[in-house]
Amino acid sequence: MTTEELWKAVLSEMELTLSRANFTTWFRGTSIAANNNGSVVVSVPNGFVKEWLENKFNKQVFKVIHGFLPEVREVKYVIGGIRTAQAVIKKDFSQFIPEKTEERVDADIDKITNLNRRYTFASFVVGPNNELAHAACLAVTKTLGKLYNPLFLYGGVGLGKTHLLQAVGNQVAGQGMDKKLHYISSERLTSDIVESLKNKTIEEMKQRYAKLDLLIVDDIQFIAGKERTQDIFFSTFNELYGKNKQIVLSSDRPPSAIPALEARLRSRFEGGMIADIGVPDYETRLAILKTKAREKGFEIDDESLGYISSNIQKNIRELEGALNRIIAFSQIYNKTPELKEIKKLLAAYLSTPFRKTTHQSILKSVADFYGIPLGDLAKRSRKKEVVRPRQIAMFLLREEAKLSFPEIGSKLGGRDHSTAIHAYEKIKGEEDAVENTKQELILIKERIYQSFDGS
Ligand code: ADP
Ligand code: MG
């Protein structure tokens, strides 16, 4: 039982740092096959996954396991089910029977609507940061297609957009009015479109979408720059919109800030209702944490909850990750951790010193975020589209990579250090005072520190 929970802890940790698609690709069907003499053996479904786990994720996997079981010295990966893996360890090859590995990752997803039943209004905590978005979503479920169309939600990573979007879907599905609905991420939509074009089934796909009463597209910012997808999405959008069918969208930023989004789509997105989700305050974070603990049937004292809520501030996914970590600890050691243990368990979320980055990664993340070519940051250009990203880059080079001002100037096309100072001070002044700047910085930092994830 302990190995199962240990692996669960690893999975919930990895889930936080990877995109859903990556997580599913690399961790579906994996489990711990054995834990022998300081060596943990993980069974994986195929050689491809084995190679990736060994080369790309082993460090992280090891770190989590080692955090729980300090006596563990190595993690090995073997292909096949648990029995095969155990046979490999015991060098008993008569037992070498390939098994089907379980698919637990997508267990909660409805095949037709693609909704995860876990995300409901009932499990969503309303606070000042998401009040408007919540009210708009709820209104949409009662007025499908008639009031706010499209409804466009935006906000930073891990703040509850997917949860709300799916809650809309689950609510409508649960009303028993036989509405056709579908939830999809724009990444998945894009790959479906590419696939359908290749297989010449695009007309069928369009017809399938045209029959919907409610279409929910998550993370729509990813269709930026993808012309063919935008084209097809535009025609589907118009078709549904023309029939008063409801469309709900989410994005990490408002339509006006999505680069390389066709003007006709932007104006469609702006034509309905736009609601943002901000960073939750302490009370809201605490309430969310309590809800999550209750959902998971985990008892934990208020002091600990308060400690977690006051220290993890920017991202609810991290808040939940912290709780998962504590739950895993208590299952493995069969006791609820004390505050000083909680502090240790959460060190990874709280301190930033271990978060190392390079100037290349910063510049690339900034350029990607604003949708400009990397080289433009160092050019002489004074165009507005470049000046602002350049200032943000200068600020981040100082704050995150700790470069000196003369170094910053030279990394950005041999500019004078006074220019770098000016940019730094300007952005510093906006960091807490201007909501947009604050959000942008959070999003860019997410990119900087997730760039190891390969997506
Ligand atoms: P986003 O799509 O904005 O990146 P998610 O919707 O995936 O964020 O939210 C991340 C996690 O935080 C999810 O597990 C979600 O259930 C939880 N969460 C976010 N906001 C709330 C809230 N207000 N109440 C309860 N859970 C929340
Ligand atoms: Mg999301």
Side-chain angles (χ1 to χ4, degrees):
M1 95 143 210
T2 37
T3 52
E4 206 174 290
E5 275 155 10
L6 180 62
W7 193 241
K8 256 198 205 149
V10 172
L11 291 179
S12 46
E13 190 88 8
M14 298 307 298
E15 207 172 356
L16 297 174
T17 60
L18 297 174
S19 71
R20 181 162 185 87
N22 269 355
F23 175 73
T24 311
T25 308
W26 305 124
F27 288 93
R28 167 187 283 166
T30 59
S31 57
I32 293 185
N35 174 11
N36 277 352
N37 302 326
S39 157
V40 166
V41 182
V42 175
S43 90
V44 302
N46 57 52
F48 190 45
V49 168
K50 176 171 187 280
E51 203 171 297
W52 273 74
L53 292 188
E54 279 170 350
N55 296 330
K56 255 195 115 167
F57 299 121
N58 184 46
K59 242 201 212 144
Q60 270 172 287
V61 169
F62 177 77
K63 218 169 104 190
V64 181
I65 293 182
H66 192 72
F68 286 117
L69 304 174
E71 68 275 16
V72 170
R73 279 172 289 101
E74 60 167 0
V75 179
K76 285 197 268 198
Y77 302 87
V78 295
I79 304 166
I82 295 198
R83 245 185 303 164
T84 318
Q86 279 163 351
V88 171
I89 301 153
K90 291 196 218 122
K91 297 208 165 54
D92 175 3
F93 293 100
S94 66
Q95 288 284 313
F96 213 105
I97 316 156
E99 287 172 275
K100 273 220 172 112
T101 40
E102 236 184 312
E103 299 196 356
R104 59 163 279 284
V105 179
D106 288 334
D108 285 343
I109 314 276
D110 183 279
K111 294 268 179 331
I112 295 167
T113 62
N114 197 27
L115 289 168
N116 185 333
R117 298 178 189 88
R118 177 167 96 81
Y119 294 120
T120 60
F121 283 113
S123 63
F124 190 83
V125 175
V126 183
N129 63 311
N130 58 30
E131 204 161 42
L132 176 65
H134 173 264
C137 283
L138 208 51
V140 154
T141 65
K142 297 186 184 131
T143 58
L144 273 196
K146 300 201 187 78
L147 189 58
Y148 304 135
N149 208 12
L151 171 60
F152 189 104
L153 296 191
Y154 75 90
V157 179
L159 295 182
K161 301 183 296 295
T162 296
H163 190 136
L164 271 181
L165 252 55
Q166 298 230 12
V168 169
N170 280 317
Q171 181 92 351
V172 171
Q175 282 165 351
M177 312 233 293
D178 201 22
K179 298 287 183 196
K180 289 200 179 51
L181 57 114
H182 194 67
Y183 164 91
I184 191 164
S185 71
S186 83
E187 286 158 295
R188 180 65 196 286
L189 182 65
T190 303
S191 67
D192 284 0
I193 288 176
V194 170
E195 191 70 6
S196 302
L197 286 169
K198 209 172 74 195
N199 300 335
K200 307 209 172 8
T201 51
I202 192 73
E203 282 312 313
E204 285 163 57
M205 181 179 170
K206 278 187 178 173
Q207 278 168 24
R208 227 173 35 244
Y209 276 89
K211 287 195 193 116
L212 294 173
D213 299 295
L214 166 61
L215 170 62
I216 305 172
V217 186
D218 206 350
D219 288 322
I220 193 79
Q221 75 273 9
F222 290 121
I223 69 168
K226 303 190 176 107
E227 283 161 30
R228 203 72 183 100
T229 304
Q230 293 193 26
D231 227 31
I232 287 163
F233 184 69
F234 185 70
S235 78
T236 298
F237 185 103
N238 284 341
E239 170 124 27
L240 292 176
Y241 184 81
K243 293 190 291 191
N244 285 326
K245 303 298 185 184
Q246 182 71 46
I247 298 151
V248 182
L249 307 165
S250 86
S251 159
D252 65 355
R253 52 192 114 165
S256 59
I258 304 178
L261 180 69
E262 284 181 34
R264 55 183 187 167
L265 269 181
R266 175 167 307 147
S267 75
R268 283 288 187 279
F269 293 171
E270 286 171 342
M273 160 88 171
I274 299 186
D276 73 325
I277 302 186
V279 175
D281 58 16
Y282 172 78
E283 283 74 21
T284 310
R285 296 198 298 276
L286 185 62
I288 293 174
L289 205 54
K290 281 191 170 159
T291 309
K292 299 284 173 193
R294 207 177 320 118
E295 271 172 24
K296 296 169 204 263
F298 184 67
E299 283 192 26
I300 176 168
D301 61 282
D302 285 350
E303 191 191 8
S304 301
L305 288 176
Y307 175 80
I308 306 168
S309 313
S310 57
N311 282 285
I312 299 179
Q313 300 172 348
K314 297 207 167 125
N315 182 325
I316 294 162
R317 196 170 295 138
E318 278 186 10
L319 202 62
E320 218 180 326
L323 182 66
N324 286 341
R325 224 182 152 126
I326 291 167
I327 294 177
F329 174 98
S330 77
Q331 286 173 338
I332 286 166
Y333 292 100
N334 219 351
K335 65 165 199 159
T336 310
E338 289 163 28
L339 190 58
K340 69 171 195 293
E341 287 162 328
I342 290 184
K343 285 184 183 168
K344 261 198 204 149
L345 279 170
L346 301 194
Y349 294 103
L350 307 184
S351 58
T352 40
F354 79 102
R355 299 213 301 181
K356 283 226 164 64
T357 186
T358 59
H359 71 271
Q360 289 98 332
S361 158
I362 291 177
L363 295 178
K364 181 167 183 313
S365 302
V366 170
D368 283 352
F369 181 81
Y370 291 104
I372 57 172
L374 180 57
D376 282 11
L377 288 174
K379 279 198 191 132
R380 285 275 130 198
S381 161
R382 307 197 48 147
K383 271 193 286 183
K384 196 171 100 232
E385 304 86 77
V386 190
V387 170
R388 167 93 184 162
R390 191 183 289 133
Q391 288 174 337
I392 296 275
M394 289 177 160
F395 172 77
L396 289 170
L397 286 173
R398 177 76 191 164
E399 289 270 298
E400 303 299 313
K402 314 282 182 229
L403 295 193
S404 70
F405 289 118
E407 278 172 312
I408 295 172
S410 89
K411 293 266 184 281
L412 288 170
R415 291 184 157 75
D416 192 73
H417 74 277
S418 62
T419 311
I421 293 175
H422 172 75
Y424 176 80
E425 282 172 352
K426 177 164 187 290
I427 305 299
K428 184 85 199 162
E430 289 178 19
E431 191 183 14
D432 291 317
V434 181
E435 187 58 30
N436 273 350
T437 307
K438 187 156 106 190
Q439 284 289 335
E440 280 177 23
L441 288 170
I442 291 173
L443 289 169
I444 296 169
K445 281 190 221 165
E446 292 275 346
R447 281 176 189 244
I448 295 174
Y449 293 107
Q450 288 190 356
S451 38
F452 66 88
D453 135 17
S455 61

